[in-house]
Amino acid sequence: MKKSLSILFLACALMSYGQIDTTSVKNPADKIDSISSSTTIGGGMNFSYTNTEKYTLGPIRIEGADNFDPQAIKLIAGLKQGDQITIPSDRISNAIKNLWNEGLFSRISIEAEREVAGVIYLVIKLTPRPKLSRFRFTGVTKREVDKIREEVDLSSGQTITENLLFTTKNKIRGYFLEKGFNNIVVNITQIQDTLINNSEIFFIDIDKGKKVKIKEIIFDGNTTIKPWKLRKVMKDTKRRSIMRVFKRSKFNNTAYQRDKEAVLDKFRGAGLRDVHFAVDSVYKIDSKNLGIYFKVVEGEKYYFGDITWIGNTKFSSGLLDTVLGIKYGDIYDKPLLDQRLKQSQDGRDISSLYMDRGYLFYHLEPVEIGVKDNHINYEMRMVEGKEARVKNIIIKGNYKTNEHVIRREIRTKPGDLFSRNDIIRTQRELAQLGYFNEQGFQVNPIPNPQDGTVDIEYVVEEKSADQIELSGGYGANRIIGTLGLTFSNFSIKNIFKPNSWSPLPTGDGQRLSIRAQTNGRIYQGYNFSFTEPWLGGKKPNSFTFYVNHTSFSTSTTIKKRDPSYQGVGISGAGIGLGRRKKFPDDYFSAYYELAYQYYDVRNYSSLFPSFSNGYANDISLKYALQRNSVNSPIYPTEGSKISFTAKGTLPYSLFDKSKDYSSLSAQETFKYLEYYKLKFTFEYYMPLTPDKKLVLMPRVGFGYMGAYNKAKGLTPFERFNLGGSGLSGVNQFGGREIIALRGYDDNALSSSAGDPIIAKYTLEMRYPISLNPQATFFVLAFAEAGNTFTSFKTFNPFNVKRSVGAGVRIFLPMFGMLGLDYGWGFDKLDPHSSGYGGSIDQSIDSKGYFPKFTFTIGMNLGEL
């Protein structure tokens, strides 16, 4: 009865594609259970499920898997020579299942070659699945192909499975669905590759179809909130309209789910706690349009009831009620409750109250304890825990900036009570340094409940802080070239260490700047400055030293030694000390400066009518008080800057009242300049959208320059000139302070001698296109107004020249901030407005406007 026959234990073709319905059977080996209880297979050898027999497994042979390890196949199958096996039994079906689960074979069969003296010899026959040799896309552009390759997980040599085909199609569909192609069709054709054995080529044909827009969003059943308000809440799911011709109205399922929840939150904020959608349906209107329908069930309106506090010992219930700001009878607003308990943008929440005082381990659980007359009563159950103190400060990610530069800005010191506000301030201070990517900051508190401490890990991402300025600008009717080098993270102590030069020694947070501007012999300007922000290394007291030289002439052919030479030479130097203040708060800083300027004027009556020839000495003291709370130096989204500057010389003329200045020459009168100068500026950044991208920035500035002695009069230098671009960042040109006003020619709004009083107002709307630290790019629209005045008698803060326009700003770490504006000035110029040799006949278009391009370098247009 036991013969050397080829006996098929199970259906040999069980694994073939044609014989298996893979849509209904997850594992084709599962069909074994459907074989009858008694089967006669080949050569008359009977195997009965009711009358089983035991055998000993002999050597197992593998066929059809030359590229696979035979021992590994036997191990996966779970069959080993010498094992006792009952036939029929689950051992064979399990072996097939195990091999099938590997996903490597398209056909699997196990056959008995022969049986000798109770030893059965098996052969495992396998047909490997084909491999993917290469793949091609049709129906899409090359750019789209590059994007799709990033999405799909295809590579040469992959085993082709049903799952691979299914996943590839779904990823391609998902990519185009995100782009609004809801009629996307993907077909994959498998062609045998004749060059590579057992391999196939994928031809992936993609029919995107037309983009599908959202034509309508319908709300039904809502009575409390109007439909347009609900549609406004849906940030990324918008219907197509005339007002949104250039904006997205595509359907994205992920965004749709998020926007649905936002709509429900809008209802919940109106007291409708039980609101839900009975129906939310996305339907096809036609081949190009979708519609969305919501059937809203609002339910009853609820109100806040009694709120009681349990477990609070640090703060009284009355104080917690005040911080929470929710009273009995207020409309029930669960999102507002969560915000006031956990984290409010303005810091008005219970969590901040505790965490700013060291209670890191505090826990609060709001529990609804009952509803009466639609008033929901709450118990605020809290465990305050013990105060947590900072144990270790860990800094990661700084490969160029020395650790002490970061550590000195950190406000969370070891041993201090934990404070979330100190962490937020630390992030701001580190961002203000300009060395790190603001979007890459990470702060990770690591609590240690065992000893009541917390380690704080600061992760920073270095960015290039050095700048190379190579540019051209236009000012005073001349083209001016600029070459500048600024090293914002310089290290002077490492100058003599060759290994620290890359290309210059860096890491200690010092600032070194070298800048030159020229248009040839007409104008030349040179500046050198060095700043140590932490003089002595213990306190944030800065030290600054600078030298500068400027020369300005009217001719390129006449040399200085020629008596007919017309020009101005200005040389100066100064030292400054800065101090971060603690009162009224630590956003304040003060700066003190002692400076000397030497003016050499040669035959220049057009620029200095009262001082056309001679030299003057300017020894001045400056005091600047500033409060700066902006959150970012490149693209601020909130905070403000307030600055007051006082600059002046000694009142020399008051020490010697015997002089009659009416009889003295200009040289004798202005040998030592005397004046005082006051400036005030204020700017504020206000986010207009929840994501804080759209920002409104108003700025106002005033300046006044006065004389101690009326008989001596106002100094011919240091006056204000208004108009244009501010000479591409030059704020001292020819002994004047240059203030920009876009839409007009440079210096066109002031008298040729300059004016002692100035007023300027700016309003900007900004929106970022990219906040990438390697290339920050934002657009803006502006409205500006300003004017200069010869005296208080003529001063009128509303008598200003106005302009509007638009512009772009690009910040590149290597070049700094670059800007281009197009402004329209639409007020006629005063007869005294001629600037530096300019003309008051500024061209006017047919509408009465003054169109003007303005190119700028630097963070602000002028200083005012």
Side-chain angles (χ1 to χ4, degrees), residues 311-315 354 359 361-363 382-386:
N312 56 304
T313 59
K314 179 67 177 179
F315 303 105
Y354 274 91
Y359 290 90
F361 305 111
Y362 122 101
H363 175 73
M382 66 171 60
V383 178
E384 294 178 332
K386 61 186 298 186

Side-chain angles (χ1 to χ4, degrees), residues 424-435:
I424 295 172
R425 280 299 304 274
T426 295
Q427 286 184 281
R428 175 192 174 275
E429 300 300 335
L430 292 176
Q432 292 292 327
L433 294 177
Y435 312 150

Side-chain angles (χ1 to χ4, degrees), residues 408 532-543 576-578:
R408 69 193 183 190
E532 166 56 70
W534 283 66
L535 185 62
K538 294 183 178 180
K539 293 183 178 181
N541 298 328
S542 66
F543 169 79
L577 294 174

Side-chain angles (χ1 to χ4, degrees), residues 154-383:
L154 292 179
S155 60
S156 179
Q158 277 183 292
T159 300
I160 299 175
T161 64
E162 288 84 357
N163 183 63
L164 180 66
L165 293 167
F166 178 80
T167 302
T168 300
K169 286 183 179 181
N170 272 1
K171 286 184 176 180
I172 296 173
R173 281 180 51 80
Y175 173 79
F176 283 102
L177 286 173
E178 291 284 331
K179 303 296 181 182
F181 294 95
N182 287 65
N183 296 322
I184 175 73
V185 176
V186 182
N187 290 311
I188 300 179
T189 303
Q190 300 168 245
I191 305 297
Q192 184 176 359
D193 191 340
T194 58
L195 299 177
I196 303 176
N197 186 38
N198 195 35
S199 61
E200 293 181 352
I201 304 171
F202 278 5
F203 287 91
I204 306 174
D205 181 67
I206 301 171
D207 182 5
K208 297 185 297 183
K210 297 290 185 181
K211 270 194 175 182
V212 178
K213 303 292 185 180
I214 301 173
K215 185 176 182 180
E216 59 189 20
I217 301 176
I218 300 172
F219 290 93
D220 183 16
N222 54 301
T223 58
T224 305
I225 303 175
K226 295 181 178 179
W228 70 267
K229 292 184 177 180
L230 298 175
R231 285 191 285 264
K232 186 177 180 180
V233 171
M234 303 178 75
K235 299 298 183 183
D236 298 308
T237 307
K238 299 289 187 181
R239 63 180 180 176
R240 191 174 186 177
S241 66
I242 298 176
M243 301 298 293
R244 294 183 53 84
V245 173
F246 301 105
K247 296 184 179 180
R248 298 180 304 172
S249 62
K250 66 183 182 182
F251 179 80
N252 178 287
N253 188 63
T254 302
Y256 173 63
Q257 299 300 327
R258 183 171 59 246
D259 287 339
K260 276 202 311 181
E261 192 61 30
V263 170
L264 291 175
D265 280 341
K266 184 72 174 178
F267 281 109
R268 292 168 186 144
L272 304 172
R273 185 180 68 161
D274 300 330
V275 65
H276 64 278
F277 295 131
V279 177
D280 68 279
S281 173
V282 180
Y283 54 92
K284 186 175 181 179
I285 298 175
D286 52 47
S287 61
K288 296 182 179 179
N289 296 286
L290 294 177
I292 300 175
Y293 173 79
F294 294 102
K295 176 63 176 178
V296 182
V297 179
E298 291 186 343
E300 297 183 2
K301 182 170 285 191
Y302 289 84
Y303 304 87
F304 282 109
D306 294 322
I307 298 177
T308 56
W309 302 87
I310 297 177
N312 56 304
T313 59
K314 179 67 177 179
F315 303 105
S316 67
S317 298
L319 175 61
L320 297 178
D321 285 335
T322 301
V323 173
L324 188 65
I326 295 175
K327 302 184 296 295
Y328 182 92
D330 287 352
I331 293 176
Y332 181 76
D333 186 344
K334 186 61 164 59
L336 175 65
L337 177 64
D338 293 338
Q339 185 184 73
R340 295 286 177 83
L341 289 178
K342 296 176 183 178
Q343 192 166 1
S344 175
Q345 291 185 357
D346 59 4
R348 180 187 173 181
D349 59 85
I350 303 299
S351 177
S352 295
L353 183 67
Y354 274 91
M355 288 196 174
D356 286 345
R357 289 159 178 80
Y359 290 90
L360 176 64
F361 305 111
Y362 122 101
H363 175 73
L364 186 148
E365 187 70 31
V367 179
E368 293 184 14
I369 58 174
V371 180
K372 184 177 180 181
D373 298 328
N374 285 11
H375 284 69
I376 303 173
N377 300 319
Y378 269 96
E379 268 189 5
M380 302 297 178
R381 301 173 184 175
M382 66 171 60
V383 178

Side-chain angles (χ1 to χ4, degrees), residues 54-57 80-87 89 91 118:
K54 289 186 177 181
Y55 300 89
T56 300
L57 280 177
K80 186 174 64 173
Q81 183 178 345
D83 284 354
Q84 297 294 314
I85 185 171
T86 300
I87 297 178
S89 71
R91 286 287 298 276

Side-chain angles (χ1 to χ4, degrees), residues 23 37 152 234 292 309 318 332 344 366 503 589 595 679 723 731 738:
T23 61
S37 61
V152 299
M234 303 178 75
I292 300 175
W309 302 87
Y332 181 76
S344 175
S589 63
K679 292 191 297 182
N731 61 359
I738 309 301

